[in-house]
Amino acid sequence: MFVNIHGANESSSRNEDAASMLLGCHQRIRHFTEVALRLAEKSATPPAERATAAQSVLRYYTEALPFHEADENDSLHPRLQRVLPVGVLADANETMVRQHTEIDALVANLILEWRAMANNPSQENPSLLPRTQRLQELWTSHLQLEEEQVIPAMQKFLPAADLRSMEAEMRARRQR
């Protein structure tokens, strides 16, 4: 079995703050990227299960991930840009946004493959594995940057009112 598809995609709890919500997204990114990696590997998994897993990965990357990226680009980045002192943390904030470009380009390509796999789970694609491994590498670097530098900077430098506003924006995105 590939995945506990449903448990990893639950919506954020009402008692989570903005940092917890971001970290919860990171768990889901890791989860669905791992599922994508298993899909890319040659497997004796029944086609119906591969199709279901591919649909789950596709749904996450096309529906949920854009919310997370908007959380970072539209809510977190501009607030940190206003308050962070010049230096490592300000650079990390800028790097976070720049890294989205390469990730987004690769995901756009992979979405086509996941859609094809959901429709025809028996078809093999030899280029899928190296591209999915690259996606996992990009995510590892990106999430590490955020977890070690950006989120701690958010917690240290953003005023409580900004954190509450950011949380409200994140929740509103998911209600649309």
Side-chain angles (χ1 to χ4, degrees):
M1 180 172 210
F2 276 101
V3 58
N4 173 0
I5 294 170
H6 305 292
N9 204 18
E10 304 266 332
S11 62
S12 296
S13 169
R14 285 286 168 199
N15 60 0
E16 286 183 313
D17 62 11
S20 298
M21 291 173 70
L22 290 170
L23 292 170
C25 289
H26 289 190
Q27 290 175 335
R28 288 181 289 281
I29 289 167
R30 286 182 175 102
H31 172 80
F32 284 102
T33 302
E34 182 62 33
V35 173
L37 192 56
R38 283 187 252 150
L39 280 169
E41 296 168 343
K42 294 192 186 293
S43 171
T45 304
E49 190 173 327
R50 286 176 60 81
T52 299
Q55 289 167 349
S56 177
V57 169
L58 182 63
R59 185 173 46 254
Y60 177 76
Y61 271 94
T62 59
E63 295 176 18
L65 184 64
F67 293 139
H68 178 70
E69 189 169 316
D71 296 341
E72 293 175 354
N73 291 351
D74 302 339
S75 295
L76 177 58
H77 176 262
R79 285 180 172 91
L80 283 177
Q81 197 173 36
R82 286 191 299 267
V83 300
L84 288 178
V86 174
V88 173
L89 295 179
D91 292 345
N93 188 43
E94 296 306 316
T95 299
M96 171 186 69
V97 174
R98 279 194 313 271
Q99 287 175 339
H100 289 155
T101 302
E102 186 175 2
I103 291 168
D104 290 348
L106 184 52
V107 166
N109 252 318
L110 288 168
I111 283 172
L112 300 173
E113 298 300 328
W114 296 326
R115 187 170 286 125
M117 184 178 289
N119 293 327
N120 187 0
S122 299
Q123 184 175 348
E124 294 292 330
N125 181 343
S127 70
L128 187 58
L129 181 59
R131 289 185 294 141
T132 307
Q133 289 169 328
R134 177 65 182 145
L135 180 64
Q136 188 174 48
E137 291 168 4
L138 292 172
W139 277 129
T140 297
S141 173
H142 183 73
L143 299 177
Q144 181 179 4
L145 173 77
E146 290 178 5
E147 291 166 0
E148 292 178 2
Q149 295 183 42
V150 177
I151 292 174
M154 173 186 103
Q155 294 169 314
K156 179 178 179 179
F157 289 97
L158 289 182
D162 276 355
L163 292 171
R164 285 190 302 273
S165 294
M166 192 173 137
E167 177 188 338
E169 290 169 10
M170 293 168 71
R171 291 189 190 286
R173 278 185 194 99
R174 287 150 179 84
Q175 297 302 313
R176 294 179 190 156

